[in-house]
Amino acid sequence: MKHHLFISHENSSLLFVENLAKMFESNDVYCWYAPRDLDQSSAGKEYDDELVDAIHEASAIVVILNDLALQSIWVKREVSQAEKQGKMIYPFVVSQITINNGLLMRLEDKHLINAYPDPESKLPVLLKNVKQLLGQDVSAI
């Protein structure tokens, strides 16, 4: 199945990502995220090649931001690849950010959705922005 979104995250956010993907997919926005989609179709393949392909197929990338994500080499690589491919990037802050690094500096050039301290309350904002990008109806949001 073609996906609309690539969700970049680090492992401590996996439960949030699973719930986020359910919310998107119940609204006809299909997601790709590890490990779910790697496990389903990519066993034995090169991990980084699968990520590049998944980002290429997506219309946008949602980056789940917390301090651990900002320090994750994989999140940094995924954001860099999305930038190279000219993808829309939605930084979604889920906890207080206490570090400052190059990835945060690059993402601050984008409009951050600051969802801390209640990420669930900002999900409609994220959903509306993504559906608008995809040209989908947003009247029910």
Side-chain angles (χ1 to χ4, degrees):
M1 172 189 306
K2 179 163 173 40
H3 58 272
H4 302 106
L5 281 183
F6 180 96
I7 303 175
S8 179
H9 66 96
E10 63 75 41
N11 289 335
S12 73
S13 299
L14 184 57
L15 180 59
F16 180 80
V17 169
E18 290 169 345
N19 291 327
L20 178 66
K22 286 178 190 173
M23 183 271 305
F24 272 122
E25 291 170 351
S26 70
N27 285 279
D28 298 321
V29 177
Y30 300 99
C31 302
W32 191 104
Y33 68 91
R36 178 189 75 175
D37 295 284
L38 282 173
D39 291 347
Q40 289 182 4
S41 64
S42 303
K45 296 180 183 176
E46 296 290 333
Y47 189 68
D48 52 355
D49 289 340
E50 291 300 304
L51 294 173
V52 169
D53 291 345
I55 292 167
H56 177 74
E57 186 177 311
S59 297
I61 177 174
V62 173
V63 184
I64 306 303
L65 279 182
N66 59 25
D67 281 351
L68 293 173
L70 287 169
Q71 297 173 66
S72 166
I73 189 66
W74 286 105
V75 172
K76 290 176 184 180
R77 289 174 179 165
E78 291 161 0
V79 169
S80 291
Q81 187 58 223
E83 288 175 330
K84 285 179 187 175
Q85 293 188 26
K87 302 297 178 174
M88 176 66 79
I89 299 173
Y90 296 100
F92 193 78
V93 179
V94 296
S95 67
Q96 184 175 10
I97 302 295
T98 63
I99 65 169
N100 189 16
N101 65 7
L103 178 57
L104 181 61
M105 181 180 72
R106 287 180 17 226
L107 290 174
E108 285 177 332
D109 282 345
K110 317 287 183 205
H111 180 76
L112 296 171
I113 298 175
N114 188 356
Y116 174 75
D118 183 16
E120 287 76 20
S121 70
K122 294 289 187 158
L123 292 179
V125 172
L126 180 59
L127 177 62
K128 183 177 181 180
N129 277 271
V130 169
K131 286 181 78 79
Q132 284 176 327
L133 174 74
L134 299 173
Q136 295 181 358
D137 181 29
V138 296
S139 61
I141 301 174

